[in-house]
Coordinates of all heavy atoms in Angstrom, one line a residue:
M1 N 159.2 124.1 59.0 CA 160.3 125.0 58.9 C 160.0 126.0 57.8 O 159.6 125.7 56.7 CB 161.6 124.2 58.6 CG 162.8 125.0 58.4 SD 164.3 124.2 58.0 CE 164.5 123.2 59.5
D2 N 160.3 127.3 58.1 CA 160.0 128.3 57.1 C 161.2 128.6 56.3 O 162.3 128.8 56.8 CB 159.7 129.6 57.9 CG 159.4 130.8 57.0 OD1 159.1 130.5 55.8 OD2 159.4 131.9 57.5
H3 N 161.1 128.5 55.0 CA 162.1 128.8 54.0 C 161.8 130.0 53.1 O 162.2 130.1 52.0 CB 162.4 127.5 53.1 CG 162.9 126.4 53.9 ND1 164.2 126.3 54.3 CD2 162.3 125.2 54.3 CE1 164.4 125.2 55.0 NE2 163.3 124.5 54.9
G4 N 160.9 130.9 53.6 CA 160.6 132.0 52.8 C 159.6 131.7 51.8 O 159.4 132.4 50.8
H5 N 158.9 130.6 51.9 CA 157.9 130.1 51.0 C 156.5 130.3 51.5 O 155.6 129.4 51.3 CB 158.1 128.6 50.6 CG 159.4 128.4 50.0 ND1 160.5 128.1 50.7 CD2 159.8 128.4 48.7 CE1 161.6 127.9 50.0 NE2 161.2 128.0 48.7
D6 N 156.2 131.3 52.3 CA 155.0 131.5 53.0 C 153.8 131.9 52.2 O 152.7 131.8 52.6 CB 155.2 132.4 54.2 CG 155.6 133.8 53.8 OD1 156.0 134.0 52.6 OD2 155.5 134.7 54.6
R7 N 154.0 132.3 51.0 CA 152.9 132.8 50.1 C 152.6 131.8 49.0 O 153.2 131.8 48.0 CB 153.2 134.2 49.6 CG 152.0 134.8 49.0 CD 152.3 136.3 48.9 NE 151.3 136.9 48.2 CZ 151.4 137.9 47.3 NH1 152.6 138.3 47.1 NH2 150.4 138.4 46.7
G8 N 151.7 130.9 49.2 CA 151.4 129.9 48.2 C 152.5 129.0 47.9 O 152.5 128.4 46.9
G9 N 153.4 128.8 48.8 CA 154.5 127.9 48.6 C 155.6 128.4 47.7 O 156.5 127.7 47.3
L10 N 155.5 129.7 47.2 CA 156.5 130.2 46.3 C 157.6 131.0 47.0 O 157.3 131.8 47.9 CB 155.8 131.1 45.3 CG 154.8 130.4 44.3 CD1 154.1 131.5 43.5 CD2 155.5 129.3 43.5
P11 N 158.8 130.8 46.6 CA 159.9 131.7 47.1 C 159.7 133.1 46.5 O 159.0 133.3 45.5 CB 161.2 131.1 46.5 CG 160.8 130.3 45.3 CD 159.4 129.9 45.6
P12 N 160.2 134.2 47.2 CA 160.0 135.5 46.8 C 160.2 135.8 45.3 O 159.4 136.5 44.7 CB 160.9 136.4 47.7 CG 161.2 135.5 48.8 CD 161.1 134.1 48.4
E13 N 161.3 135.3 44.8 CA 161.6 135.6 43.4 C 160.7 135.0 42.4 O 160.7 135.3 41.2 CB 163.1 135.1 43.1 CG 163.3 133.7 43.2 CD 163.7 133.2 44.6 OE1 163.6 134.0 45.5 OE2 164.0 132.0 44.7
R14 N 159.8 134.1 42.8 CA 158.8 133.5 41.9 C 157.4 134.0 42.2 O 156.5 133.7 41.5 CB 158.8 131.9 42.2 CG 160.1 131.4 41.9 CD 160.3 130.2 41.0 NE 159.2 129.7 40.2 CZ 158.6 128.5 40.3 NH1 159.1 127.7 41.1 NH2 157.6 128.2 39.5
R15 N 157.2 134.9 43.1 CA 156.0 135.5 43.4 C 155.8 136.7 42.4 O 156.7 137.2 41.8 CB 155.9 136.2 44.8 CG 156.1 135.1 45.9 CD 156.1 135.8 47.3 NE 156.5 134.8 48.2 CZ 157.1 135.2 49.4 NH1 157.2 136.4 49.8 NH2 157.5 134.2 50.2
P16 N 154.5 137.0 42.1 CA 154.3 138.1 41.2 C 155.0 139.4 41.6 O 155.0 139.7 42.8 CB 152.8 138.3 41.2 CG 152.2 137.0 41.8 CD 153.3 136.5 42.7
A17 N 155.5 140.2 40.7 CA 156.1 141.5 41.0 C 155.0 142.4 41.5 O 153.8 142.3 41.2 CB 156.7 142.0 39.7
F18 N 155.5 143.4 42.3 CA 154.6 144.5 42.7 C 154.3 145.3 41.4 O 155.0 145.4 40.4 CB 155.3 145.4 43.7 CG 155.5 144.7 45.0 CD1 156.8 144.2 45.3 CD2 154.5 144.5 45.9 CE1 157.0 143.5 46.5 CE2 154.7 143.9 47.1 CZ 156.0 143.4 47.4
E19 N 153.1 146.0 41.4 CA 152.7 146.7 40.2 C 153.6 147.9 39.9 O 153.9 148.2 38.8 CB 151.3 147.3 40.4 CG 150.2 146.2 40.5 CD 150.0 145.6 39.1 OE1 150.0 146.3 38.1 OE2 149.8 144.3 39.0
S20 N 154.0 148.6 41.0 CA 154.9 149.8 40.9 C 155.6 150.1 42.2 O 155.3 149.4 43.2 CB 154.1 151.0 40.4 OG 153.2 151.4 41.5
A21 N 156.5 151.0 42.2 CA 157.2 151.4 43.4 C 156.2 151.9 44.5 O 156.4 151.7 45.7 CB 158.2 152.5 43.2
E22 N 155.1 152.5 44.1 CA 154.1 153.0 45.0 C 153.4 151.9 45.7 O 152.8 152.0 46.8 CB 153.0 153.8 44.3 CG 153.5 155.2 43.8 CD 154.3 155.1 42.5 OE1 154.1 154.1 41.7 OE2 155.2 156.0 42.3
D23 N 153.4 150.6 45.2 CA 152.8 149.5 45.9 C 153.7 148.7 46.8 O 153.3 147.7 47.4 CB 152.3 148.5 44.8 CG 151.2 149.1 43.9 OD1 150.4 149.9 44.5 OD2 151.1 148.8 42.7
L24 N 155.0 149.1 46.9 CA 155.9 148.4 47.7 C 155.6 148.6 49.2 O 155.3 149.7 49.6 CB 157.4 148.9 47.5 CG 157.9 148.6 46.1 CD1 159.2 149.3 45.9 CD2 158.1 147.1 45.9
P25 N 155.6 147.5 50.0 CA 155.5 147.7 51.4 C 156.7 148.4 52.0 O 157.8 148.2 51.6 CB 155.4 146.2 51.9 CG 156.0 145.4 50.9 CD 155.8 146.1 49.6
E26 N 156.4 149.2 53.0 CA 157.5 149.9 53.8 C 157.3 149.7 55.3 O 156.2 149.6 55.7 CB 157.4 151.4 53.5 CG 157.5 151.8 52.0 CD 157.3 153.3 51.8 OE1 156.9 154.0 52.8 OE2 157.6 153.7 50.7
K27 N 158.4 149.6 55.9 CA 158.4 149.3 57.4 C 159.5 150.1 58.1 O 160.6 150.1 57.6 CB 158.5 147.8 57.7 CG 158.4 147.5 59.2 CD 158.6 146.1 59.5 CE 158.5 145.8 61.0 NZ 158.8 144.4 61.3
L28 N 159.1 150.8 59.1 CA 160.1 151.6 59.9 C 160.8 150.6 60.8 O 160.1 149.9 61.6 CB 159.4 152.7 60.6 CG 160.3 153.7 61.4 CD1 161.3 154.4 60.5 CD2 159.5 154.7 62.2
G29 N 162.1 150.7 60.9 CA 162.9 149.8 61.7 C 162.9 150.2 63.2 O 162.4 151.3 63.5
A30 N 163.3 149.3 64.0 CA 163.3 149.6 65.5 C 164.2 150.7 65.9 O 163.9 151.3 66.9 CB 163.8 148.3 66.2
D31 N 165.2 151.1 65.0 CA 166.0 152.3 65.3 C 165.3 153.6 65.1 O 165.8 154.7 65.4 CB 167.3 152.2 64.5 CG 167.1 152.4 63.0 OD1 165.9 152.5 62.6 OD2 168.1 152.3 62.3
G32 N 164.1 153.6 64.5 CA 163.3 154.7 64.3 C 163.7 155.6 63.1 O 163.1 156.6 62.8
T33 N 164.7 155.1 62.4 CA 165.2 155.9 61.2 C 165.3 155.1 59.9 O 165.1 155.6 58.9 CB 166.6 156.5 61.5 OG1 167.5 155.5 61.7 CG2 166.5 157.5 62.6
T34 N 165.6 153.8 60.0 CA 165.8 152.9 58.9 C 164.4 152.5 58.4 O 163.6 152.0 59.1 CB 166.6 151.7 59.2 OG1 167.9 152.1 59.6 CG2 166.8 150.8 58.0
I35 N 164.2 152.7 57.0 CA 163.0 152.2 56.4 C 163.3 151.1 55.5 O 164.2 151.1 54.6 CB 162.4 153.4 55.5 CG1 162.1 154.6 56.5 CG2 161.1 152.9 54.8 CD1 161.7 155.8 55.7
T36 N 162.6 150.0 55.6 CA 162.8 148.8 54.8 C 161.7 148.8 53.8 O 160.5 149.0 54.1 CB 162.7 147.5 55.6 OG1 163.8 147.5 56.6 CG2 162.8 146.3 54.8
V37 N 162.1 148.6 52.5 CA 161.1 148.7 51.4 C 161.2 147.4 50.6 O 162.3 146.9 50.3 CB 161.5 149.9 50.4 CG1 160.5 149.9 49.3 CG2 161.5 151.2 51.2
G38 N 160.1 146.8 50.3 CA 160.0 145.6 49.5 C 159.6 144.4 50.3 O 159.3 144.4 51.5
D39 N 159.7 143.2 49.6 CA 159.4 141.9 50.2 C 160.5 141.6 51.3 O 161.7 141.4 50.9 CB 159.3 140.9 49.1 CG 158.8 139.5 49.6 OD1 159.0 139.2 50.8 OD2 158.3 138.8 48.8
P40 N 160.1 141.5 52.5 CA 161.1 141.1 53.6 C 161.7 139.8 53.4 O 162.8 139.5 54.0 CB 160.4 141.3 54.9 CG 158.9 141.2 54.5 CD 158.8 141.6 53.1
D41 N 161.1 138.9 52.6 CA 161.7 137.6 52.4 C 162.6 137.5 51.2 O 163.2 136.4 50.9 CB 160.5 136.6 52.1 CG 159.6 136.4 53.3 OD1 160.1 136.5 54.5 OD2 158.4 136.2 53.2
A42 N 162.8 138.6 50.5 CA 163.8 138.6 49.3 C 165.2 138.1 49.8 O 165.6 138.4 50.9 CB 163.8 139.9 48.7
K43 N 165.8 137.4 48.9 CA 167.2 136.8 49.3 C 168.2 137.9 49.4 O 169.1 137.8 50.2 CB 167.6 135.8 48.2 CG 166.8 134.6 48.2 CD 167.4 133.6 47.2 CE 166.6 132.3 47.2 NZ 167.1 131.4 46.2
V44 N 168.2 139.0 48.6 CA 169.2 140.0 48.6 C 168.7 141.2 49.4 O 167.6 141.7 49.3 CB 169.5 140.5 47.2 CG1 170.5 141.6 47.2 CG2 170.0 139.3 46.3
K45 N 169.5 141.6 50.4 CA 169.3 142.8 51.2 C 170.3 143.9 50.9 O 171.5 143.6 50.9 CB 169.4 142.5 52.7 CG 168.6 141.2 53.1 CD 167.1 141.4 53.2 CE 166.5 140.2 53.8 NZ 165.3 139.8 53.2
V46 N 169.8 145.1 50.5 CA 170.7 146.2 50.2 C 170.5 147.3 51.2 O 169.3 147.7 51.4 CB 170.5 146.7 48.8 CG1 171.4 147.9 48.5 CG2 170.7 145.6 47.7
H47 N 171.5 147.6 52.0 CA 171.4 148.7 53.0 C 172.1 149.9 52.5 O 173.3 149.9 52.4 CB 171.9 148.2 54.4 CG 171.4 149.0 55.5 ND1 171.1 148.4 56.7 CD2 171.2 150.3 55.7 CE1 170.7 149.3 57.5 NE2 170.7 150.5 56.9
L48 N 171.4 151.0 52.4 CA 171.9 152.2 51.9 C 171.9 153.2 53.0 O 170.9 153.4 53.7 CB 171.1 152.8 50.7 CG 171.0 151.9 49.5 CD1 169.8 152.2 48.7 CD2 172.3 152.0 48.7
Y49 N 173.0 153.9 53.2 CA 173.2 155.0 54.1 C 173.3 156.3 53.2 O 174.3 156.4 52.5 CB 174.4 154.9 55.0 CG 174.3 153.6 55.9 CD1 174.7 152.4 55.5 CD2 173.8 153.8 57.2 CE1 174.6 151.3 56.3 CE2 173.7 152.6 58.0 CZ 174.1 151.4 57.6 OH 174.0 150.3 58.4
E50 N 172.3 157.1 53.3 CA 172.3 158.3 52.4 C 172.0 159.6 53.1 O 171.2 159.7 54.1 CB 171.2 158.1 51.3 CG 171.4 157.0 50.4 CD 170.4 156.9 49.3 OE1 169.2 157.1 49.6 OE2 170.7 156.6 48.2
D51 N 172.7 160.6 52.7 CA 172.5 162.0 53.1 C 171.5 162.6 52.1 O 171.8 162.7 50.9 CB 173.8 162.8 53.2 CG 173.6 164.2 53.6 OD1 172.4 164.7 53.6 OD2 174.6 164.8 54.0
L52 N 170.3 162.9 52.6 CA 169.2 163.4 51.7 C 169.6 164.7 51.0 O 168.9 165.0 50.0 CB 167.9 163.4 52.5 CG 167.4 162.1 53.1 CD1 166.2 162.3 53.9 CD2 167.3 161.0 52.0
R53 N 170.6 165.4 51.5 CA 171.0 166.7 50.9 C 172.2 166.5 50.0 O 172.6 167.5 49.4 CB 171.3 167.7 52.0 CG 170.1 168.0 52.9 CD 170.5 168.8 54.1 NE 171.3 168.0 54.9 CZ 172.1 168.5 55.9 NH1 172.2 169.8 56.1 NH2 172.9 167.7 56.6
C54 N 172.7 165.3 49.9 CA 173.9 165.1 49.2 C 173.6 164.9 47.7 O 172.8 164.1 47.3 CB 174.6 163.8 49.7 SG 176.0 163.2 48.6
P55 N 174.2 165.7 46.8 CA 174.0 165.7 45.4 C 174.4 164.3 44.8 O 173.8 163.8 43.8 CB 174.7 166.8 44.8 CG 175.7 167.3 45.8 CD 175.2 166.8 47.1
V56 N 175.4 163.7 45.3 CA 175.9 162.4 44.8 C 174.9 161.3 45.1 O 174.5 160.4 44.3 CB 177.3 162.0 45.3 CG1 177.7 160.6 44.9 CG2 178.3 163.1 44.8
C57 N 174.3 161.4 46.4 CA 173.2 160.4 46.8 C 172.0 160.6 45.9 O 171.4 159.6 45.4 CB 172.9 160.6 48.2 SG 174.2 160.2 49.4
G58 N 171.7 161.8 45.6 CA 170.5 162.1 44.7 C 170.8 161.6 43.3 O 169.9 161.0 42.7
Q59 N 172.0 161.7 42.8 CA 172.3 161.2 41.5 C 172.2 159.7 41.5 O 171.7 159.1 40.5 CB 173.7 161.7 41.1 CG 174.2 161.2 39.8 CD 175.6 161.7 39.4 OE1 176.4 162.1 40.3 NE2 175.9 161.6 38.1
F60 N 172.7 159.1 42.6 CA 172.5 157.6 42.6 C 171.1 157.2 42.5 O 170.7 156.3 41.8 CB 173.1 157.1 44.0 CG 172.7 155.6 44.2 CD1 173.5 154.6 43.6 CD2 171.7 155.2 45.0 CE1 173.2 153.3 43.8 CE2 171.3 153.9 45.2 CZ 172.1 152.9 44.6
E61 N 170.2 157.9 43.2 CA 168.8 157.5 43.2 C 168.1 157.8 41.9 O 167.2 157.1 41.5 CB 168.0 158.3 44.3 CG 168.3 157.8 45.7 CD 167.9 156.4 46.0 OE1 166.9 155.9 45.3 OE2 168.5 155.8 46.9
T62 N 168.6 158.8 41.1 CA 167.9 159.1 39.9 C 168.5 158.5 38.6 O 167.8 158.1 37.7 CB 167.8 160.6 39.7 OG1 169.1 161.2 39.7 CG2 167.0 161.3 40.8
S63 N 169.9 158.5 38.6 CA 170.5 158.0 37.3 C 171.6 157.0 37.6 O 172.2 156.5 36.6 CB 171.0 159.2 36.6 OG 172.0 159.9 37.3
G64 N 171.9 156.7 38.8 CA 173.0 155.8 39.1 C 172.4 154.4 39.3 O 171.6 153.9 38.5
G65 N 172.7 153.7 40.4 CA 172.2 152.4 40.6 C 170.7 152.3 41.2 O 170.1 151.3 41.2
G66 N 170.2 153.5 41.6 CA 168.8 153.5 42.1 C 167.8 152.9 41.2 O 167.0 152.1 41.7
P67 N 167.7 153.2 39.9 CA 166.7 152.7 39.1 C 166.8 151.1 39.0 O 165.8 150.4 39.0 CB 166.9 153.3 37.7 CG 167.5 154.6 38.1 CD 168.4 154.3 39.2
Q68 N 168.0 150.6 39.0 CA 168.2 149.2 38.9 C 167.8 148.5 40.2 O 167.2 147.4 40.2 CB 169.6 148.8 38.6 CG 170.0 149.1 37.2 CD 170.5 150.6 37.0 OE1 170.5 151.3 37.9 NE2 170.8 150.9 35.8
L69 N 168.1 149.2 41.3 CA 167.7 148.6 42.6 C 166.2 148.7 42.7 O 165.6 147.7 43.2 CB 168.3 149.5 43.8 CG 167.9 149.1 45.2 CD1 168.2 147.6 45.5 CD2 168.6 150.0 46.2
R70 N 165.6 149.8 42.3 CA 164.1 149.8 42.4 C 163.4 148.7 41.6 O 162.5 148.1 42.0 CB 163.7 151.2 41.8 CG 162.3 151.6 42.2 CD 162.0 153.1 41.9 NE 162.8 153.9 41.1 CZ 163.9 154.6 41.6 NH1 164.2 154.7 42.8 NH2 164.7 155.3 40.7
K71 N 164.0 148.4 40.4 CA 163.4 147.3 39.6 C 163.6 146.0 40.3 O 162.7 145.2 40.3 CB 164.2 147.3 38.3 CG 163.6 146.2 37.3 CD 164.3 146.3 35.9 CE 163.8 145.2 35.0 NZ 164.5 145.3 33.7
A72 N 164.8 145.7 40.9 CA 165.0 144.5 41.7 C 164.0 144.4 42.8 O 163.5 143.3 43.1 CB 166.4 144.4 42.1
V73 N 163.7 145.5 43.5 CA 162.8 145.4 44.7 C 161.4 145.2 44.2 O 160.7 144.4 44.7 CB 162.9 146.7 45.5 CG1 161.8 146.8 46.6 CG2 164.3 146.9 46.1
I74 N 161.0 145.8 43.1 CA 159.6 145.7 42.5 C 159.4 144.2 42.1 O 158.4 143.6 42.3 CB 159.4 146.6 41.3 CG1 159.2 148.0 41.9 CG2 158.2 146.2 40.5 CD1 159.2 149.1 40.8
N75 N 160.5 143.6 41.6 CA 160.5 142.2 41.1 C 160.7 141.2 42.2 O 160.8 140.0 41.9 CB 161.4 142.0 40.0 CG 161.0 142.7 38.7 OD1 159.8 142.8 38.4 ND2 161.9 143.2 38.0
R76 N 160.9 141.7 43.4 CA 161.0 140.8 44.6 C 162.4 140.1 44.6 O 162.6 139.1 45.4 CB 159.9 139.8 44.8 CG 158.6 140.4 45.0 CD 157.5 139.3 45.2 NE 156.2 139.8 45.2 CZ 155.5 140.1 46.3 NH1 156.0 139.9 47.4 NH2 154.3 140.5 46.1
H77 N 163.4 140.6 43.9 CA 164.7 140.0 43.9 C 165.5 140.6 45.1 O 166.6 140.0 45.4 CB 165.4 140.3 42.6 CG 164.7 139.5 41.5 ND1 165.1 138.3 41.0 CD2 163.6 139.9 40.8 CE1 164.4 137.9 40.0 NE2 163.4 138.9 39.9
A78 N 165.1 141.8 45.6 CA 165.9 142.4 46.7 C 165.0 143.2 47.6 O 163.8 143.5 47.2 CB 166.9 143.4 46.0
T79 N 165.5 143.4 48.8 CA 164.8 144.3 49.8 C 165.8 145.5 50.0 O 167.0 145.3 50.1 CB 164.6 143.6 51.1 OG1 163.7 142.5 50.8 CG2 164.0 144.5 52.1
A80 N 165.3 146.7 50.0 CA 166.2 147.8 50.2 C 165.9 148.4 51.6 O 164.8 148.5 52.0 CB 165.9 148.9 49.2
Q81 N 167.0 148.7 52.3 CA 166.9 149.4 53.6 C 167.6 150.7 53.5 O 168.7 150.8 53.0 CB 167.6 148.6 54.7 CG 166.9 147.3 54.9 CD 167.6 146.4 56.0 OE1 168.8 146.3 55.9 NE2 166.9 146.0 57.0
Y82 N 166.9 151.8 53.8 CA 167.4 153.2 53.7 C 167.6 153.8 55.1 O 166.6 153.8 55.9 CB 166.4 154.1 52.9 CG 166.3 153.6 51.5 CD1 165.3 152.8 51.1 CD2 167.1 154.2 50.5 CE1 165.1 152.4 49.8 CE2 167.0 153.8 49.2 CZ 166.0 152.9 48.8 OH 165.8 152.5 47.5
T83 N 168.8 154.2 55.4 CA 169.1 154.8 56.7 C 169.6 156.2 56.3 O 170.7 156.4 55.7 CB 170.1 154.1 57.5 OG1 169.6 152.8 57.8 CG2 170.4 154.8 58.8
P84 N 168.9 157.3 56.7 CA 169.4 158.6 56.4 C 170.5 159.0 57.4 O 170.5 158.6 58.5 CB 168.1 159.5 56.6 CG 167.2 158.7 57.5 CD 167.6 157.3 57.3
I85 N 171.5 159.7 56.8 CA 172.6 160.2 57.6 C 172.6 161.7 57.4 O 172.1 162.3 56.5 CB 173.9 159.6 57.3 CG1 174.3 159.8 55.8 CG2 173.9 158.1 57.6 CD1 175.7 159.4 55.5
R86 N 173.3 162.4 58.3 CA 173.5 163.8 58.2 C 175.0 164.1 57.9 O 175.9 163.6 58.6 CB 173.1 164.5 59.5 CG 171.6 164.5 59.7 CD 171.2 165.4 60.8 NE 169.8 165.4 60.8 CZ 169.1 166.0 61.8 NH1 169.8 166.6 62.8 NH2 167.8 166.0 61.8
G87 N 175.2 164.8 56.8 CA 176.6 165.0 56.4 C 177.2 166.3 57.0 O 176.6 167.1 57.7

């Protein structure tokens, strides 16, 4: 039975962190628009719907919750899914 311990028997949160955001794995979803970033086995999944032209969305990514989310993804505590929307 798989419990997300497929890499050396360690759960995602106990695996080594990624070196940086540039090292994070990315995968395009079946819908052709959603991009999943980070360890797919992470316990926490965060799904963001963002308008890439929206200044509030941009603010989130640079000075809002984005930096904390990025850190959680790098440390394998979360996986982020990004779905772009048009406003």
